[in-house]
Amino acid sequence: MKQPLISHPIDDPDVRSRYDDASLTPAGNLRLTAHNAIVGDRASRLFGPGDERADYLRATATLHDIGKATPQFQAYVRGEYDGPPEEKAHARFGALATWFVLGELDAPPCDRLAGTLAIARHHQALPKTASYTAETLASAFESGSEVLSAQLKAIDSTWPVAVTELFEQAGAGCAWSEFYEWARSGSAADELRAHSAEELFGGVEPESEKLPARLYDRLLHYWAATTLADKSHAIPLDETAVFDLDTLKKGVIEEYIADLRSEPPVNDLTARLNDDRERARRQSVRGTHEWLNSDESAIATLSLPTGLGKTFTGLSAAFEARDILEKTEQRSEPRPIVYALPYTSIIEQTRAIFEDEDLWGADPAKSALTVHHYLSETVVHHGSGTGDVDETDANEHAAHLGEAWRDGTILTTFVQLFESLAGPTNRQGLKLSALDGGVVILDEPQALPKGWWDGVQRLLTLLTDEYNARIIAMTATQPTLLRDRETVSLLDAGANHPSDSCGRCEDTPTYPTQLSPAPEEQYFEEAERVRYTIDTTARSLDPSSEAPEKQYLSHTAAADRILESTGQRGSCLAICNTIQSSRALTEAIQDQAKTVHLGGSIRTVLEGQDVDATTCRSVRSVAAAVLEDAGFEDPIVDQEFDPTAYPKVDGMCQDYLLTLNSRYRPFDRRVLIQLATWLSTSEVPLILVSTQAIEAGVDLSFENVFRDVAPPDSIVQAAGRCNRSYEWGKNGGRVTVWTLARTDEDAPKSPSSPPLAHYVYERHGEELRLPAHLELIGNVLNNVPDPSDARDVDVSKAAVDEYFDRLSEKQLSSGRIREYIETADAPSLAKRSLIDGQQTFDVLVGMTASERRRLNEIRDLFSERPHQAYEMLEHCSDIRISVPATVIEDAAGITRIDGKEESADGVQVFWYTGSGGLSYDFADGGLRESEGVSGRFTSF
């Protein structure tokens, strides 16, 4: 055959124009030699370390499509093949060639096996390694394999010289004839089984203990880089789009802080608070110098009380670390910063910092910043296939690379980060190369499910040891998750750092005001923002308590106490453990007082203005219109909220009420948070009833906070929304911890049912074994001195430390995640989820006429132009809500947006426009089933 070897044909002239002429055949198709060479080059560039591993990866990636050199595949890709489908497969042939070439390069067993498996699965998810290697691959490479024999003979009789050239590209000094004889012998099968199986009488048995140590880490590393390199060239994506990452400048923070500090403080207390915030920031930057000067640990901690500006302090440290590493570590590619948060519900506020025109003014749709979380993902397809995937990626849409994190700063969630490291899909794996040598910020890692802590420990090792990433863990507490590791405290390192002799400190700005560093403990001791009340109902959870028998508080009694605390000018945040509880408390407050729930005004504004939340970006204008509808006169003056604009009845302020949980659309949550931001520190009495999703990262401040009983670290997170910037003076905030009864109980002295907290914190699932967890929490809270008026530090520091010390004595998880990593069992890892184990579905909620028209258009497009329908779905994240499968099952008349049956393949997204068995109401807890109890024990 005289035809040139091609990777795939290119019919689209626009796509063809993106390749250089040397990469194309006279017919305009992509040459196989060019594709393999460029993928090898890109993969090695994506791979951070510049040692021999990069050479092994270059050889691996250069061989990824050598299996396309068979006459069978070349006939298939030209539409001329009429033979057995197995013979046109190319991935396993490429894996065989990789095993051979890495052997010729004397690669260690771990690298050799990792490269081979990466090529075998470069179109698929990673396998259960031991069985896949010992059975699937080894059987395919036996001397008697009909498929392999047919492929080898076909190449040998057609273009052995051309394939020799492909081997030479990979850096292997061998001819086709040498590989041909070796492959025909079947020795590869025995070699693979030697690393993956035990010999038994009559056969072999896969044995994961035979696998090389840390194989999963190296396999993930090679596979992710090869997959991204392959897809980015097949699309094709220009090299600059892959490697020339736009970055945000560190100096912008310095300028922003300098402008803020140039403004006179409101009072002496605010001045001291601002000084402490800036003291901690500068100290952490100096601590970053000390951290990177030592080899003590790749993980740094930043522990500060809530309200002391961890976000700006952590970002300053991360940007400083990035710039230092750029100068000191030889690396040709930019170094990304990945900022990971616990929940999608709080990601928007952090995003606003990056998009603030007074800061970076970053636009995630363009450059420098990528925002990636679950609700930004478009669809979920059932099934991933098990056989070799012959189709090339030439027709994949460039949108797949939106998940590749090819940007200087990535704002994402723990789910996206850790689940992409633990058994990722082929598409999830695209992002992993962004972690190579990067700086990762973990914001409040104690929010990670405790059942994952052991697995996350192992994944942190993967990040630091394999990916050479630096990690900054920002916490208001230091959980067991990090206590068991060697870490560097940025504040302690900064306090002891010799700035006068540090060349890096000479490059930092010269400040007009000098702020001496302080010990980490001092920040906690002086941050006296709140006092705590540990209610009898919380202390009674402790069996050894002198308090009366277990007693819980009804939602009606809780409403009375909330309304009493709010008074005429107070603000109150009440955090519940479940969605149903937040709804019940909202109803109880409305039943007992003349409160005005602003949910009615939100609906009026959205419907009256026919707002399309998929395109509307002016949350402030919507929130201002809501206040105007509620009777506020000109609430916004010169772009700022006017606290004197509130309406009065008989000279008195009304109580305003808001409800927030994960059952509200993301757009609506932003409106709710904007309203709370304006009202919580004004003279307008405000009550916000929420679930625990508000605890981390939301910059709200209330005079009073009530928290249903929870672990002490969660209680401290709740306290972070109380008197956050000393709006009510030193120790002016009050945090009350109580135990709420089930919504259907009036809280007898000897309740017949466990409290709602039981269903959240005493789960006995496979990933979490915490019997008597509430008793432990109750005991710790009972040990707080003066529980009716406890000091801030006695809870935020002492109680949290005691809790984690006690918790470390328990078996937090089954160790399954760590076990699956050590045995390179990716499919079992993929079944683990950071989110509660219940199955969920997404629902698109159309409230206004414009939104309903959009959803109808998407539905119609699925039957006419599905590709366009998928593109439209990408822009619907702001009206998308994730709910338990039981909600959909109980809701009659709710259908999938693509018109298919629930169990069929396709897009597993439902839609709601006002009919069927669901309802959506701002005063009733967001999206809910019209009947039934599916959400009773659902948190967030």
Side-chain angles (χ1 to χ4, degrees):
M1 302 175 79
K2 299 298 185 183
Q3 301 177 82
L5 295 177
I6 66 170
S7 170
H8 52 267
I10 304 176
D11 298 323
D12 189 336
D14 291 335
V15 174
R16 191 177 296 158
S17 66
R18 299 176 203 162
Y19 293 101
D20 61 86
D21 293 339
S23 296
L24 302 176
T25 68
N29 299 319
L30 181 60
R31 292 182 183 274
L32 183 57
T33 51
H35 179 57
N36 278 2
I38 291 173
V39 170
D41 178 66
R42 287 191 177 187
S44 62
R45 289 180 64 185
L46 289 167
F47 190 79
D51 54 25
E52 68 277 359
R53 290 175 294 167
D55 296 330
Y56 300 147
L57 176 59
R58 180 186 294 274
T60 294
T62 304
L63 292 165
H64 82 287
D65 274 353
I66 194 172
K68 292 182 178 181
T70 63
Q72 292 93 325
F73 183 88
Q74 290 298 307
Y76 160 73
V77 82
R78 290 177 168 90
E80 302 167 357
Y81 184 67
D82 188 23
E86 297 84 3
E87 291 184 20
K88 63 181 175 63
H90 71 280
R92 289 179 189 169
F93 190 97
L96 179 63
T98 302
W99 180 258
F100 173 75
V101 168
L102 291 182
E104 293 291 299
L105 295 175
D106 292 325
C110 182
D111 295 274
R112 196 178 179 193
L113 190 52
T116 299
L117 291 166
I119 298 310
R121 306 289 289 195
H122 72 278
H123 288 291
Q124 298 171 267
L126 295 175
K128 185 172 183 176
T129 299
S131 58
Y132 182 80
T133 303
E135 296 172 348
T136 305
L137 281 187
S139 296
F141 300 158
E142 295 277 11
S143 60
S145 169
E146 294 182 4
V147 172
L148 178 60
S149 178
Q151 291 177 323
L152 290 170
K153 289 179 180 178
I155 293 176
D156 192 56
S157 62
T158 51
W159 37 60
V161 175
V163 176
T164 296
E165 182 183 349
L166 295 176
F167 278 124
E168 290 173 350
Q169 281 189 163
C174 62
W176 161 256
S177 58
E178 185 179 350
F179 171 76
Y180 178 59
E181 293 302 326
W182 173 85
R184 288 179 63 195
S185 72
S187 62
D190 295 333
E191 294 172 11
L192 288 171
R193 287 179 178 134
H195 294 290
S196 61
E198 291 282 0
E199 290 188 13
L200 301 175
F201 291 108
V204 295
E205 181 73 20
E207 177 52 70
S208 58
E209 290 186 3
K210 298 277 287 185
L211 298 171
R214 300 283 179 91
L215 175 62
Y216 180 81
D217 308 44
R218 191 63 45 80
L219 169 56
L220 190 75
H221 207 170
Y222 285 178
W223 172 79
T226 300
T227 300
L228 177 56
D230 183 26
K231 292 189 177 184
S232 68
H233 187 245
I235 285 176
L237 199 64
D238 187 80
E239 187 174 288
T240 57
V242 179
F243 295 104
D244 292 350
L245 310 184
D246 288 330
T247 59
L248 301 176
K249 303 301 182 184
K250 176 186 65 178
V252 173
I253 295 182
E254 297 290 346
E255 295 172 4
Y256 180 78
I257 297 295
D259 288 344
L260 289 180
R261 289 184 62 78
S262 67
E263 300 176 2
V266 175
N267 52 46
D268 290 343
L269 190 60
T270 302
R272 288 198 298 273
L273 174 63
N274 290 338
D275 279 350
D276 279 343
R277 287 170 172 165
E278 178 62 0
R279 185 193 321 276
R281 192 182 73 86
R282 297 180 192 174
Q283 187 172 333
S284 294
V285 170
R286 291 193 293 270
T288 302
H289 300 169
E290 190 72 19
W291 172 39
L292 297 181
N293 279 340
S294 71
D295 295 325
E296 186 176 345
S297 176
I299 302 178
T301 61
L302 174 59
S303 297
L304 279 171
T306 52
L308 242 65
K310 284 196 301 295
T311 301
F312 279 118
T313 299
L315 283 173
S316 294
F319 282 124
E320 186 76 4
R322 178 200 65 188
D323 291 352
I324 290 173
L325 292 171
E326 293 281 1
K327 296 177 182 177
T328 58
E329 294 185 354
Q330 291 187 354
R331 177 186 170 101
S332 59
E333 316 306 339
R335 190 179 304 269
I337 292 175
V338 177
Y339 191 130
L341 290 154
Y343 315 118
T344 58
S345 56
I346 62 174
I347 206 168
E348 293 301 326
Q349 182 156 329
T350 307
R351 171 180 180 167
I353 292 174
F354 292 104
E355 296 179 359
D356 189 339
E357 292 297 333
D358 291 332
L359 278 156
W360 293 281
D363 182 354
K366 294 182 179 178
S367 62
L369 173 67
T370 291
V371 178
H372 186 200
H373 52 84
Y374 171 66
L375 290 176
S376 70
E377 292 181 332
T378 308
V379 295
V380 176
H381 292 283
H382 283 297
S384 58
T386 56
D388 279 348
V389 179
D390 295 317
E391 290 78 6
T392 67
D393 300 300
N395 294 322
E396 283 197 27
H397 194 272
H400 283 196
L401 291 183
E403 296 182 359
W405 291 3
R406 304 311 300 166
D407 228 335
T409 306
I410 296 96
L411 181 62
T412 190
T413 61
F414 290 162
V415 169
Q416 289 294 334
L417 175 61
F418 289 110
E419 289 192 9
S420 294
L421 290 166
T425 63
N426 191 269
R427 186 170 180 176
Q428 285 175 312
L430 295 176
K431 65 172 69 73
L432 296 180
S433 291
L435 301 172
D436 244 314
V439 179
V440 179
I441 300 174
L442 300 179
D443 195 341
E444 305 295 356
Q446 75 274 8
L448 283 159
K450 293 177 176 64
W452 265 71
W453 280 10
D454 182 62
V456 167
Q457 281 271 23
R458 180 61 178 82
L459 293 174
L460 291 178
T461 299
L462 187 156
L463 275 173
T464 57
D465 293 4
E466 179 66 33
Y467 275 85
N468 194 33
R470 303 314 199 282
I471 297 171
I472 299 175
M474 306 195 308
T475 61
T477 59
Q478 190 176 352
T480 307
L481 171 66
L482 295 175
R483 286 186 179 190
D484 294 342
R485 295 188 65 97
E486 191 74 32
T487 61
V488 173
S489 165
L490 291 182
L491 289 175
D492 286 347
N496 301 314
H497 181 62
S499 301
D500 294 341
S501 60
C502 175
R504 291 166 183 160
C505 286
E506 293 177 0
D507 295 334
T508 57
T510 301
Y511 300 109
T513 303
Q514 298 303 308
L515 299 170
S516 300
E520 181 180 297
E521 293 77 10
Q522 182 174 322
Y523 288 100
F524 286 88
E525 292 169 356
E526 295 184 354
E528 297 176 339
R529 297 177 296 104
V530 306
R531 305 288 284 192
Y532 286 86
T533 297
I534 312 299
D535 190 73
T536 304
T537 59
R539 288 183 280 133
S540 72
L541 294 171
D542 176 14
S544 63
S545 170
E546 296 179 359
E549 295 182 9
K550 287 184 181 179
Q551 52 183 290
Y552 313 138
L553 197 67
S554 71
H555 286 72
T556 300
D560 286 338
R561 291 177 63 176
I562 289 170
L563 289 165
E564 181 182 351
S565 73
T566 305
Q568 277 299 300
R569 284 195 168 91
S571 64
C572 171
L573 170 64
I575 300 177
C576 302
N577 276 323
T578 70
I579 289 173
Q580 188 70 8
S581 177
S582 70
R583 290 169 176 160
L585 187 56
T586 297
E587 293 171 3
I589 293 171
Q590 289 180 295
D591 288 345
Q592 298 183 51
K594 293 181 179 180
T595 57
V596 177
H597 200 298
L598 290 172
S601 291
I602 296 175
R603 177 176 287 276
T604 297
V605 169
L606 294 180
E607 293 180 345
Q609 296 184 3
D610 195 20
V611 173
D612 185 346
T614 67
T615 58
C616 178
R617 294 294 175 263
S618 182
V619 170
R620 286 174 59 91
S621 64
V622 172
V626 169
L627 293 181
E628 289 180 354
D629 183 81
F632 287 69
E633 296 181 6
D634 299 324
I636 305 301
V637 177
D638 295 330
Q639 303 298 315
E640 297 296 329
F641 173 65
D642 180 5
T644 66
Y646 57 85
K648 298 179 181 179
V649 177
D650 297 329
M652 307 287 284
C653 298
Q654 299 182 82
D655 289 341
Y656 290 93
L657 180 62
L658 291 169
T659 310
L660 178 66
N661 58 54
S662 64
R663 297 291 179 83
Y664 290 94
R665 306 182 310 173
F667 176 84
D668 301 333
R669 289 204 298 264
R670 293 201 297 276
V671 173
L672 290 166
I673 289 173
Q674 181 62 67
L675 289 168
T677 300
W678 284 337
L679 298 178
S680 63
T681 55
S682 72
E683 296 183 354
V684 180
L686 173 70
I687 301 169
L688 174 61
V689 179
S690 177
T691 55
Q692 59 265 45
I694 201 171
E695 288 179 353
V698 178
D699 191 10
L700 293 173
S701 187
F702 295 82
E703 183 178 6
N704 298 283
V705 169
F706 293 87
R707 179 61 166 96
D708 194 4
V709 70
D713 57 310
S714 294
I715 292 170
V716 172
Q717 284 298 317
R721 306 324 115 195
C722 186
N723 197 27
R724 189 171 177 85
S725 296
Y726 296 94
E727 293 89 349
W728 292 274
K730 195 170 186 177
N731 287 321
R734 173 65 58 174
V735 178
T736 300
V737 184
W738 56 29
T739 303
L740 291 177
R742 283 174 50 130
T743 58
D744 55 358
E745 283 205 346
D746 290 330
K749 289 188 177 180
S750 298
S752 59
S753 301
L756 289 170
H758 171 87
Y759 302 98
V760 178
Y761 299 113
E762 292 217 11
R763 291 169 294 181
H764 298 278
E766 186 176 16
E767 301 298 352
L768 181 60
R769 298 174 181 175
L770 277 178
H773 191 195
L774 285 184
E775 291 184 3
L776 185 155
I777 292 171
N779 183 252
V780 171
L781 294 177
N782 206 40
N783 292 339
V784 173
D786 195 6
S788 62
D789 189 31
R791 295 189 309 157
D792 196 335
V793 70
D794 286 339
V795 178
S796 63
K797 195 67 176 170
V800 170
D801 286 348
E802 180 187 352
Y803 169 71
F804 284 124
D805 287 341
R806 299 273 297 278
L807 204 61
S808 65
E809 301 170 1
K810 291 181 173 286
Q811 178 67 33
L812 291 181
S813 70
S814 64
R816 290 285 182 87
I817 296 173
R818 181 182 290 269
E819 175 189 339
Y820 295 144
I821 294 173
E822 300 299 354
T823 59
D825 184 354
S828 295
L829 278 173
K831 295 176 182 177
R832 264 54 200 171
S833 175
L834 280 169
I835 303 173
D836 197 350
Q838 61 185 335
Q839 184 183 13
T840 60
F841 289 115
D842 286 352
V843 181
L844 300 174
V845 177
M847 288 186 58
T848 65
S850 292
E851 292 166 353
R852 289 190 287 270
R853 284 194 300 270
R854 181 176 293 273
L855 295 183
N856 278 305
E857 183 180 358
I858 293 173
R859 178 202 59 185
D860 293 341
L861 282 171
F862 266 111
S863 61
E864 301 167 3
R865 296 185 297 279
H867 180 73
Q868 189 173 346
Y870 282 114
E871 288 184 347
M872 289 189 67
L873 273 179
E874 291 182 358
H875 302 290
C876 290
S877 60
D878 277 335
I879 62 171
R880 189 168 169 173
I881 302 172
S882 183
V883 299
T886 51
V887 173
I888 298 298
E889 292 166 0
D890 293 344
I894 302 300
T895 60
R896 277 172 40 171
I897 191 74
D898 63 1
K900 296 182 179 181
E901 295 295 325
E902 181 179 322
S903 60
D905 287 346
V907 55
Q908 295 289 312
V909 176
F910 292 76
W911 64 315
Y912 166 75
T913 57
S915 61
L918 295 177
S919 63
Y920 187 80
D921 190 88
F922 288 94
D924 196 29
L927 186 68
R928 64 180 299 178
E929 58 279 17
S930 298
E931 300 291 340
V933 294
S934 300
R936 178 176 296 164
F937 305 126
T938 304
S939 59
F940 297 87

